[in-house]
Amino acid sequence: MSQPNQTDTKKSVSWFKKFQYDKNRDSPGDTRNVLLIVVALIAAVTFQAGVNPPGGVWQEGDRPGRAIYASQKHAFYVFLISNTLALSTCILVITSLTYRFPFHFEIWVATASMMTTYASAVFAVTPNETVHFRYLLIAASVPFLMRCLGYFVKKYRVGKDESQT
């Protein structure tokens, strides 16, 4: 096997760089549209995974309608928390990128309804003894709390920097 030479490496780097975001080339509107598409796809996948958990649900026995995956308690916790964190992050990005757009209020109503639907589906398929739902609530809140914390830190630092000059 031959080793890749320096020219091959430069070609692969330049190919990759060609598709990266470039503020001089990419307009804010195009960037917003790409981000909306990406987060909408991630939101759709995470929503679907929460409503129809991996492995499906028990059809018979003493746990019909409950997630089969929930029998692996720790793995199911990781799945639910990660999935909920991903969905709520996507919702935050979608509502942020559509702020002051026409129908922004309706987008908020739709995303809040989607999160409520997701939560009710997760509650329906998760055995009560398997998951402490407060952890899911915390996971759903993390992106919003981090955004607020970032806002207040930035505001505090800007105010502090202005008072020092």
Side-chain angles (χ1 to χ4, degrees):
M1 255 192 193
S2 66
Q3 294 290 326
N5 61 30
Q6 194 171 19
T7 307
D8 291 339
T9 305
K10 284 183 182 178
K11 283 182 184 176
S12 65
V13 169
S14 64
W15 175 86
F16 183 71
K17 192 169 182 150
K18 186 178 185 178
F19 291 100
Q20 289 180 330
Y21 171 72
D22 181 358
K23 67 180 176 182
N24 296 320
R25 179 190 64 213
D26 300 318
S27 73
D30 288 345
T31 304
R32 182 186 317 108
N33 290 340
V34 168
L35 288 172
L36 281 170
I37 290 168
V38 170
V39 296
L41 289 171
I42 295 169
V45 168
T46 56
F47 180 85
Q48 186 64 27
V51 172
N52 297 310
V57 295
W58 295 104
Q59 300 298 318
E60 298 175 3
D62 59 342
R63 295 186 263 172
R66 300 295 185 181
I68 295 171
Y69 194 24
S71 61
Q72 300 174 27
K73 187 175 183 177
H74 297 294
F76 191 61
Y77 254 123
V78 170
F79 163 74
L80 277 180
I81 290 172
S82 300
N83 198 58
T84 302
L85 183 61
L87 180 61
S88 62
T89 302
C90 288
I91 287 173
L92 173 65
V93 173
I94 289 168
T95 55
S96 297
L97 289 175
T98 58
Y99 183 67
R100 293 193 176 167
F101 272 38
F103 301 109
H104 181 72
F105 177 74
E106 288 80 0
I107 291 169
W108 266 103
V109 170
T111 53
S113 299
M114 183 176 75
M115 200 61 176
T116 303
T117 303
Y118 171 83
S120 67
V122 166
F123 293 150
V125 300
T126 304
N128 292 337
E129 67 278 357
T130 305
V131 174
H132 298 286
F133 292 110
R134 65 181 169 268
Y135 298 132
L136 290 180
L137 225 99
I138 292 168
S141 303
V142 164
F144 299 94
L145 295 173
M146 294 300 290
R147 174 57 70 181
C148 291
L149 180 65
Y151 172 77
F152 289 120
V153 167
K154 185 178 177 182
K155 187 175 180 175
Y156 173 74
R157 291 178 91 187
V158 168
K160 188 176 181 182
D161 292 342
E162 288 174 356
S163 66
Q164 291 177 352
T165 57

